Every structure is written in structure tokens, then in C-alpha cells.
Amino acid sequence: MKMSKLFVQTLREYPSDAEVISHKMLVRAGYIRKLTSGVYNFLPLMWRVLKKIENIIREEMDAAGAQELLMPFVQPKELWEESGRWDAYGKELMRLKDRHDRIMCLGPTHEEVITAVARDGLKSYKQLPVNLYQIQSKFRDEVRPRYGLLRGREFIMKDAYSFDIDETGLDREYENMAKAYKKIFDRCGLDTKMVQSDSGAIGGSVSHEFMVITDTDAGENDVFYCNNCDYSANSNHAVSKLGDAITDGGQYFAETKIIDTPNTHTIDELCEFLNIPSTIILKTLVYIIDKKPVLALIRADRNIEETKLMNAFGGTEIRIASSAEITELMQKHNFDAVAGFIGPFKGIPIIADETVKDLKNFVVGVNKNDKHMVKANLSDLNFDEITYKDIRLVEAGDYCPECGKPLFITKGIEVGNIFKLGTKYSKPMNAVYTDENGKAHPYVMGCYGIGVTRTAAAAVEAHHDDFGIKWPISIAPYHVVVVPVSTNDQLQMNCAEKIYNELLEQGIEVVLDDRDERAGVKFKDADLIGFPYRITAGKTLSDGLVELKVRETGELMTLTPDEAVKYIINIFKNV
Ligand code: ATP
Ligand code: MG
């Protein structure tokens, strides 16, 4: 490819609406252009990268025994009603109507469609197990599309679905996919951590995410991990052991009573006023889960993990109540209290974190402004019932649930997700196979996703410097750029063209920067675009030498043109 013909426009500046490095660089280096919020054109350079990622995925999925197919992007409402997700999915599901007023949606994921495909074709145990996958655009009407390709609305995903006769089969395929994923990300030049993750409200299910660890803003997930054993988990799923703390407030108060605690709206204010540690306060928070208020109780030095709390109620949507909603709730129950003074009461579902079990003689709100009960125990309070669940947000410094050593925290970009679905879809959709005795059973399913476009962006997050992208060779749009410093210098041009042609003949993906531009401009673009190797034919050519630059390390070599060509060919023998 000649640079003069390549469809690429690099920009002088980063786009002003981009917050993270991959978004900034992919736009500036001419890989992507935004069409509308969360929707991008993948320009030729980007498309080459994406095709390479797709091909790595294809090769490894095929090698793992999966079969590729392609399902429709547009899906009918009826299928989603069969699974019960039409109402449950929320606003991310983009719904639309056709000319006959039939209601459809744009596929955000394909469990329903694949289950219908399987139901139609997999009738007997003899046909199982099967793993089917596709690589396709998905649409999710994300609340906050941001970070370029990391969180788009339209994005490319590889999604695979496995069908087994039983849990043992599913466990085997899950392991098989975990191994394939590791290979896929390794081949893409990405170091990933497989971490335990939340699997939604489906009790007992298992899921893991593949995270690219990063210390930048692009890492939207907090990952807790142990250095002593291999425990690691997304914060929405992580559990921990706690260190010692004073949880019996007996020494601080003489008797159980309600006292004045004026203006103690926060835990800090309350601690200061009573001169007590926060570990003897019972904190009560009002959340709205699936539009209904609930109370969450926790030891006051710790915080609630909202996904865990939502799952504890089997909900699909959670948020903290607004002060107006708290006022309304208090009025309904004939109380008069704002946040800071709430405590457990009758007529509302209550979930308490396990830290509450150990609390004795604690301090708690009594639903009256400027009052708290001290030296309280649960038996002093009036409520219907408390369910205990781990709803606590883990913090760095807590202890590993498996080996007891301290946990650390880091940020991660989720590039893949594997999930044991069990019969969540096959049962309601009546997707069954018959066993040896002619008895029907729902398939036991798994699903396995990889964000293709997010993987490309994560690669940029993991591999760049101030000057631009440093693509891993396996997914770089081109391998080499050959730069004649001056296109008017016949010697340089001839040499550059010769190298270019020799590399092309060897099947190496090479660009000749034949533009009549200053050398500085060409070098800047080469670094920005991120060609893994640059061969420069410049002044040293009078001594019969060219310069070879390795983008990853910045290493510079002065070689004869033949040596430079051989060097590159040698490297690509192994790619
Ligand atoms: P997230 O928690 O980041 O919203 P998710 O868990 O909802 O993602 P999955 O349903 O597990 O996503 O989808 C499989 C993969 O698709 C993810 O691991 C991720 O790589 C990719 N993906 C999901 N949502 C997006 C998006 N909005 N933009 C780009 N890629 C995405
Ligand atoms: Mg996920």
C-alpha cells in the first residue's frame, strides 16, 4: 500500500470529546470517526485491526471445537417474551417497530435467538454437545456511551453458546472456553486476568471476566486480587475476610436509650459527637430496587456493593433513594427523619450485611431527626424480618477469602466474559433434547462473549507511548512502513521502493510512505499510527545504509537494505 493512496487522515490534535487514550489515539491516528453518539465508522486501518482480532478468535474458537454461524441482528419481541427478558432487559434494549407495527429489537446479545436455533435443530442427546458462535455487530443503548470503542452503542462482539446434556458437560466446555480465551488474548498481545464476576440474579451460576489490567481511567472495573493465591474477583462479586475491629459498643454507654444527636447527618459527624468508632454504628440506607424502596443495613465503617445488594433482592435495577423519596417513605410510615437518622422499621424489606451479625450495643437511627438509640441491640428495634447476605464492598487491605492474606485492588477493562447459564433460557423457551429413554430435558447452556472492538481499544490502552500506538505485531494494521526521507531523492526512492517490493513479495504487510512531505511529518505519522517497524532510507544511504526502528522498544539499527529486509522476514516467519 502506498501512503499517498491509503485512506487515512491523521489529525494534529486529539479530539476534544475524548477522555481516554485509546479514544484519543484511534481518532487522531485516523482509525475511527464518530457517526453519532457511541456509533463509529471503522476506517480501513481499523478494519484491518478488527479483522485480525476476529481471525485470531475464529482460529482459536474453531480449534476449540466451536462452529461459526451468523444470526440476524434484528430480533422479534416474541422471542424475548418467551425468555421473560422483554420486560427485564431495560432501556439498553433498542426497540423498534416495522411497517406492519410488529415490534422488534436490535440484538444486544443472542441467547434467545440461539436457543430458538438449537430448539429447532438439536433434538437428541446424540447431537450434543455443540458450541455455536458468531462475530457480529451488537447494539446496546448504553446510558453513557463513552471512551470511544471501549463503551460504544454499536460494537462488534464474538458470542458463543454451548449446549450440553448436563452440568458436567457444561463444566467441561466452560474450562475449554476459558483456555481458548487465554490463547486468544495472548495472541492479541494482551495480558489478561481471569476474575470471578457477578452473574446477575441467577442464583448459583458461575461467571468469569477476562480483564486487561490498567491503571488508567479506561479501567471501568475494580478488581481485587491476592498475591499469595490465585483469588481475583470483580468488585461486584468480591468477598473478603475482615480484620479485627471493635464491634461491641458496651464500653461506651451505660444504658440503652434514645439520645439527642443534633446535626449528625454523616457517620463522621456522629462518631465525633459521641466520641466512638464507626465500627459500633449500624448504618441504614434506603435503596430503590426495581422501583420499590428497601433498607440495607451495614456496619458503618463499610460500604454497600450495589450489585450484590440488587442480587440479594433478585432485582434488575438499583439506585440509592433521593432525599425526596426518603421523605416520602418516612411520611408514609409516620416518621420524621432525613438521611442520617434512618433505622430499621416495620413494613419494608430489609437486608443486612453479615457485618451486622457481630454488632452488639451499637448506635442506630430511630427514624427521628437529631436522635439515635445507643447501646442498642436488634431486639430493641421493631421490624418485620432481616435477611443476612454479604452485600459489602470489599476494600483494599481486607483479607483474601481463600488464603487470608491481604487483598490488593487494581483497575481492569473487561474484554471477555464466560458464563454458566444452565437452563435459564432453555427451560422457559422449552428448548429440549431427548435422552436414551426418550425423556425430554432442557439443554444445559453456557455463553461466552468477547468484545472485538473493545479488545482493539484495550490493546491501545495497554500499548502506547506519548507519540502514538504501539500495536502488537499480531493485530497491527500493517507490519512495516518504509519511509524515503525525500521523495525527490532518486537514490532514496529507488531503495525504498526496492525494500517495499521485496517485503511485499514475502507477504509482509507494508506501506511505502511516498508522500511529498517533510520527514518529520512522516515519522510522526508512523509513530502515531503505530507501525511495529519503520525502515528509513535517508542520508546514510550514501554509505549504503538504512535505518530500522522498532516501535515497541524505540531501538534503532543501521543496516544495509538487504539486512533490513532479512531482519523483517525473520521476524515474520514466526508471526
Ligand atoms: P459491561 O459490564 O462492560 O457493560 P457486559 O458485561 O454487559 O459489559 P457482556 O454482555 O458480558 O458485556 O458482553 C460480552 C463482551 O462484549 C464484554 O466482555 C465486552 O468486551 C463487550 N462489550 C459489552 N458492552 C460493550 C460496549 N458497550 N461497547 C463495547 N464492547 C462491549
Ligand atoms: Mg460481561
Side-chain angles (χ1 to χ4, degrees):
M1 173 57 69
K2 302 274 173 67
M3 195 72 165
S4 57
K5 294 271 177 285
L6 183 64
F7 185 84
V8 59
Q9 289 81 38
T10 56
L11 309 176
R12 268 165 199 266
E13 305 285 341
Y14 287 130
S16 57
D17 65 340
E19 296 167 79
V20 297
I21 206 73
S22 57
H23 186 190
K24 289 179 180 174
M25 286 192 175
L26 289 172
V27 172
R28 184 165 165 206
Y31 283 80
I32 57 172
R33 288 291 181 264
K34 183 160 97 179
L35 181 63
T36 182
S37 171
V39 179
Y40 290 86
N41 287 300
F42 307 132
L43 302 180
L45 284 177
M46 191 73 238
W47 189 234
R48 289 180 75 93
V49 172
L50 295 175
K51 278 191 293 187
K52 288 189 180 184
I53 297 174
E54 289 187 5
N55 282 337
I56 290 172
I57 293 174
R58 269 197 189 96
E59 283 173 19
E60 295 302 335
M61 289 301 290
D62 291 348
Q67 297 172 57
E68 187 172 1
L69 48 49
L70 186 60
M71 290 175 273
F73 178 50
V74 176
Q75 309 180 8
K77 176 185 178 193
E78 291 71 30
L79 259 190
W80 285 71
E81 284 176 333
E82 281 191 46
S83 71
R85 278 211 295 185
W86 184 257
D87 294 325
Y89 207 91
K91 289 190 175 159
E92 281 174 19
L93 188 64
M94 182 86 164
R95 300 157 210 244
L96 50 140
K97 235 185 224 174
D98 71 9
R99 65 200 298 165
H100 305 292
D101 281 346
R102 281 187 292 242
I103 304 175
M104 324 284 270
C105 65
L106 301 183
T109 173
H110 277 67
E111 281 81 6
E112 283 77 4
V113 181
I114 198 76
T115 306
V117 168
R119 180 169 65 184
D120 204 35
L122 297 174
K123 308 274 188 197
S124 156
Y125 71 98
K126 288 184 194 149
Q127 296 169 281
L128 299 173
V130 172
N131 186 335
L132 300 169
Y133 76 96
Q134 64 174 348
I135 299 179
Q136 189 206 37
S137 290
K138 298 279 186 260
F139 196 95
R140 293 184 183 177
D141 202 358
E142 299 273 353
V143 202
R144 265 197 82 193
R146 57 177 185 171
Y147 298 169
L149 300 194
L150 287 173
R151 184 167 298 282
R153 292 199 298 164
E154 183 175 320
F155 57 95
I156 302 175
M157 197 203 286
K158 184 284 299 180
D159 45 328
Y161 306 88
S162 67
F163 301 86
D164 272 277
I165 57 167
D166 56 18
E167 294 286 338
T168 317
L170 169 60
D171 291 349
R172 204 180 306 125
E173 187 55 16
Y174 192 80
E175 281 301 310
N176 183 33
M177 283 294 108
K179 281 198 191 114
Y181 271 40
K182 169 98 179 66
K183 280 193 204 147
I184 288 167
F185 294 120
D186 281 354
R187 284 185 60 190
C188 290
L190 286 173
D191 199 8
T192 49
K193 217 179 190 31
M194 177 169 143
V195 314
Q196 297 178 14
S197 69
D198 167 52
S199 40
I202 323 155
S205 293
V206 171
S207 80
H208 287 85
E209 288 163 344
F210 285 75
M211 295 281 187
V212 173
I213 299 305
T214 168
D215 52 6
T216 67
D217 287 348
E220 290 188 288
N221 300 272
D222 287 332
V223 174
F224 289 97
Y225 65 96
C226 176
N227 270 340
N228 186 56
C229 69
D230 60 7
Y231 179 78
S232 61
N234 190 317
S235 60
N236 64 20
H237 189 75
V239 293
S240 65
K241 287 183 187 152
L242 290 177
D244 291 339
I246 301 172
T247 54
D248 182 346
Q251 58 181 299
Y252 296 94
F253 308 102
E255 56 176 324
T256 304
K257 63 174 175 180
I258 294 173
I259 60 164
D260 287 338
T261 53
N263 297 318
T264 54
H265 293 270
T266 65
I267 296 297
D268 283 349
E269 285 164 353
L270 188 59
C271 288
E272 202 182 315
F273 183 80
L274 294 174
N275 198 18
I276 53 164
S278 57
T279 51
I280 59 154
I281 301 174
L282 177 73
K283 179 161 71 175
T284 307
L285 294 145
V286 185
Y287 279 90
I288 308 291
I289 298 182
D290 294 350
K291 306 199 167 73
K292 292 193 197 82
V294 303
L295 296 187
L297 313 186
I298 192 163
R299 205 175 82 190
D301 60 316
R302 304 304 304 233
N303 293 304
I304 303 279
E305 208 305 310
E306 293 188 358
T307 304
K308 285 192 194 174
L309 174 62
M310 182 178 78
N311 292 344
F313 278 103
T316 56
E317 249 180 23
I318 184 166
R319 60 184 175 77
I320 191 106
S322 66
S323 42
E325 284 164 333
I326 292 178
T327 307
E328 190 187 326
L329 179 71
M330 290 288 106
Q331 278 169 357
K332 189 175 152 206
H333 291 268
N334 294 322
F335 296 126
D336 178 23
V338 296
F341 301 97
I342 316 282
F345 57 88
K346 263 185 175 305
I348 187 165
I350 303 180
I351 288 213
D353 180 61
E354 281 166 351
T355 48
V356 174
K357 273 188 192 157
D358 296 331
L359 283 181
K360 280 195 194 86
N361 303 313
F362 50 80
V363 175
V364 62
V366 285
N367 306 307
K368 271 196 199 106
N369 281 328
D370 298 334
K371 306 257 182 229
H372 278 90
M373 185 186 282
V374 299
K375 207 169 184 181
N377 284 288
L378 285 176
S379 54
D380 301 319
L381 308 172
N382 194 13
F383 50 83
D384 295 327
E385 197 187 339
I386 287 185
T387 311
Y388 288 95
K389 279 269 164 69
D390 178 343
I391 51 171
R392 177 169 53 85
L393 179 68
V394 171
E395 286 170 17
D398 287 357
Y399 299 97
C400 175
E402 276 165 22
C403 75
K405 290 280 185 304
L407 287 176
F408 296 88
I409 185 170
T410 182
K411 291 205 174 292
I413 302 169
E414 178 199 328
V415 285
N417 200 181
I418 57 176
F419 201 144
K420 290 188 188 176
L421 292 172
T423 56
K424 186 183 179 210
Y425 296 90
S426 49
K427 228 185 204 160
M429 293 182 68
N430 197 27
V432 297
Y433 69 92
T434 47
D435 66 16
E436 302 95 302
N437 305 315
K439 196 165 173 268
H441 305 273
Y443 318 117
V444 180
M445 292 171 57
C447 74
Y448 318 90
I450 291 181
V452 175
T453 39
R454 188 182 283 180
T455 297
V460 177
E461 294 289 337
H463 302 281
H464 67 268
D465 62 13
D466 289 349
F467 305 104
I469 305 169
K470 297 174 166 185
W471 289 113
I473 295 166
S474 58
I475 61 171
Y478 288 92
H479 301 138
V480 181
V481 62
V482 182
V483 183
V485 166
S486 163
T487 39
N488 299 323
D489 183 320
Q490 212 46 53
L491 194 64
Q492 289 180 13
M493 262 320 261
N494 287 346
C495 172
E497 273 176 354
K498 184 160 177 283
I499 294 173
Y500 171 72
N501 286 320
E502 284 174 9
L503 290 176
L504 268 188
E505 268 166 35
Q506 296 295 322
I508 287 161
E509 297 168 27
V510 53
V511 172
L512 175 67
D513 196 344
D514 57 341
R515 293 175 302 167
D516 185 15
E517 286 280 2
R518 283 182 294 113
V521 172
K522 296 189 202 179
F523 292 162
K524 265 204 179 128
D525 280 348
D527 280 352
L528 181 62
I529 290 170
F531 299 102
Y533 296 93
R534 187 185 84 200
I535 299 175
T536 310
K539 279 201 191 112
T540 51
L541 207 54
S542 49
D543 302 323
L545 297 171
V546 295
E547 186 190 80
L548 195 150
K549 182 179 167 192
V550 185
R551 180 74 183 91
E552 174 63 29
T553 58
E555 187 187 354
L556 282 174
M557 287 170 261
T558 315
L559 305 167
T560 65
D562 281 350
E563 285 168 343
V565 168
K566 278 203 192 101
Y567 180 95
I568 299 284
I569 290 170
N570 251 331
I571 285 171
F572 286 96
K573 267 190 198 146
N574 307 318
V575 172

